[in-house]
Amino acid sequence: MAVWDDLVGQERATAQLEAAARDADAFVTAEAAEPGSARLSGSSMTHAWLFTGPPGCGRASAARAFAAALQCVSPDRALGGAPGCGFCEGCHTTMVGTHADVEIVRTDLLTIGVKETRDLVRRAQMSPAGGRWQVIVLEDSDRLTEGAGNVLLKAVEEPAPRTVWLLCAPSTEDVLPTIRSRCRHLALRTPPVDAVADLLVRRDGIEPGMAAFAARATQGHIDRALRLATDERARARREAVLKLPSRIDDVGGALRAAQELIDAAGEDAKQVSEELDAKETEELRAALGAAEGKRLPRGTAGAMKELEDKQKRRSTRTQRDSLDLALTDLTAFYRDVLACQLGSSVALSHDESADTVGRLAGTSRPEQTLRRIEAVLDCRRALDRNVAPLLAVEAMTMALRAG
């Protein structure tokens, strides 16, 4: 199974990456035979890439697959086979995250700071320890602070000879102009619903009916589709969100719905973080030499405080991500309402809510539905600007009620 097999609906991008991987393989082979003779100029390969696309399109998967192809050591390459076999040591260790020359960077926090970026830049200056390239995959490059982006810029401008940066972001606007101008841009698209359903069946063993439901409900968002298909709590939360439009007939109902949405996001964050927080705390206490049930040794309280601050920031991001998922489902619901009002033949995202969709479509006008969609988008923008979540969601539910 080639490393590209999970990049569903991305044929154009896959072809570009395969061509670049071939040129990169030829460069390393020529360099090994005659050091200093190989050149990358004029080839499909370059030292910095920017993967963009809507959430769920598989940006990180594409970057990791490309990293695996760059490290591929399959003997079939000598016979004309494309790098990225998926079976050799280079491909396998990259895909599972254990390759010594591939650094996969993702964050549970709201931002990536200067300190973490400087560590990456130092890593990027090293020669490959055993692989063919030194590869840095930065999955959340849109979360770089301005200072961190400036630190990264220097490394992207003057890379080490066999270092490759693979940056992932929702759009080019989420990355500093000076950085994106030095990267080769690869735009991915939302994969077709049928292709996502097929991937869930083939890769994850999901029952076909459930896979089709999850893919349709998430409109091609691969990670969300997998979670919806495998997590009963996620399906229950989605059902609760889809009932919100029918519960905001009065001011009290709108405010209660807002509070329940915030509470559900908080509970979700707690469930995700609780076990991980306890494990991290116990591991740090053991590393600092604190016996079970005893006080921390003198001078180590600062390390514990730093961990607690990190856990609070991670919890905040998890809560916001959970809330954003709910708002995305709500947007899709009103999109279905608008499709019904305009007589569109497009398939509904929420077949199970067809009665509610039809009832709301018949008792409101398309311009009201558009205002409601805009209210949800305004709420998401407010959350991005760090507006208090409850205030933002209450303003949204009141706007939904008013239409």
Side-chain angles (χ1 to χ4, degrees):
M1 175 172 169
V3 296
W4 317 106
D5 287 356
D6 287 350
L7 301 186
V8 294
Q10 311 292 352
E11 291 77 11
R12 184 183 62 82
T14 300
Q16 286 184 253
L17 294 176
E18 283 185 330
R22 283 183 182 275
D23 287 347
D25 181 61
F27 171 83
V28 174
T29 301
E31 186 71 12
E34 189 176 345
S37 64
R39 295 289 183 272
L40 277 177
S41 56
S43 76
S44 300
M45 182 59 185
T46 188
H47 67 278
W49 294 74
L50 176 60
F51 295 79
T52 66
C57 67
R59 298 185 301 263
S61 296
R64 185 172 294 201
F66 186 41
L70 293 177
Q71 304 292 9
C72 183
V73 292
S74 169
D76 292 343
R77 293 175 298 113
L79 305 175
C85 65
F87 297 102
C88 70
E89 182 182 4
C91 288
H92 176 71
T93 53
T94 299
M95 296 304 284
V96 299
T98 58
H99 196 291
D101 294 314
V102 178
E103 182 77 8
I104 308 289
V105 183
R106 65 176 67 87
T107 182
D108 294 323
L109 307 179
L110 296 173
T111 59
I112 299 174
V114 171
K115 180 179 181 297
E116 300 95 316
T117 307
R118 282 181 177 151
D119 291 341
L120 284 180
V121 170
R122 280 193 290 269
R123 166 75 183 261
Q125 298 305 313
M126 300 167 61
S127 298
R132 300 170 71 76
W133 295 86
Q134 180 76 248
V135 184
I136 312 292
V137 180
L138 188 53
E139 293 187 1
D140 300 296
S141 58
D142 54 308
R143 296 185 182 273
L144 289 166
T145 64
E146 184 176 354
N150 290 329
V151 170
L152 178 63
L153 174 62
K154 189 67 174 176
V156 173
E157 278 183 326
E158 302 174 4
R162 281 167 61 184
T163 292
V164 181
W165 288 90
L166 306 180
L167 312 181
C168 303
S171 74
T172 56
E173 302 302 316
D174 294 306
V175 181
L176 286 177
T178 47
I179 291 179
R180 66 174 182 254
S181 66
R182 289 160 175 80
C183 298
R184 182 165 297 168
H185 181 213
L186 195 69
L188 305 182
R189 67 187 184 106
T190 299
V193 169
D194 291 343
V196 174
D198 178 69
L199 175 65
L200 296 181
V201 173
R202 170 171 51 85
R203 184 191 67 183
D204 303 300
I206 306 298
E207 188 269 329
M210 176 60 74
F213 157 75
R216 184 183 67 252
T218 58
Q219 288 296 289
H221 191 302
I222 298 174
D223 292 338
R224 287 190 60 208
L226 176 60
R227 185 180 181 191
L228 196 63
T230 55
D231 188 346
E232 188 173 345
R233 291 180 305 179
R235 294 194 291 273
R237 283 192 294 272
R238 176 176 172 274
E239 289 176 8
V241 169
L242 297 182
K243 291 177 182 177
L244 186 145
S246 61
R247 298 176 52 222
I248 54 175
D249 294 334
D250 55 44
V251 173
L255 296 180
R256 282 194 298 273
Q259 185 64 63
E260 289 171 11
L261 204 56
I262 294 296
D263 291 344
E267 184 62 29
D268 195 28
K270 183 179 179 181
Q271 289 174 349
V272 171
S273 303
E274 213 166 44
E275 184 177 341
L276 182 58
D277 287 354
K279 181 181 177 183
E280 287 178 343
T281 301
E282 228 18 75
E283 288 177 349
L284 181 58
R285 287 180 62 86
L288 295 175
E292 187 174 352
K294 302 294 185 181
R295 294 179 61 183
L296 288 168
R298 187 184 300 274
T300 60
M304 188 61 70
K305 180 66 167 57
E306 184 178 347
L307 176 62
E308 289 172 356
D309 290 342
K310 175 186 174 182
Q311 290 172 342
K312 287 179 182 177
R313 293 195 300 272
R314 181 172 62 205
S315 178
T316 299
R317 178 183 170 181
T318 304
Q319 182 175 3
R320 290 187 182 179
D321 286 348
S322 177
L323 193 53
D324 192 63
L325 290 180
L327 297 177
T328 301
D329 285 332
L330 202 53
T331 305
F333 173 86
Y334 284 113
R335 169 259 193 195
D336 286 351
V337 173
L338 186 62
C340 285
Q341 290 172 327
L342 299 179
S344 172
S345 60
V346 67
L348 298 182
S349 305
H350 309 293
D351 278 351
E352 70 280 16
S353 300
D355 291 342
T356 306
V357 168
R359 185 167 59 254
L360 191 57
T363 57
S364 62
R365 300 184 305 279
E367 53 267 32
Q368 288 179 294
T369 304
L370 285 172
R371 285 197 294 268
R372 285 168 173 149
I373 292 174
E374 188 59 35
V376 179
L377 297 179
D378 283 344
C379 182
R380 296 181 71 182
R381 286 190 283 266
L383 292 172
D384 283 341
R385 296 194 299 269
N386 292 322
V387 174
L390 183 57
L391 291 178
V393 175
E394 284 180 343
M396 178 195 72
T397 55
M398 292 299 289
L400 294 179
R401 173 181 173 273

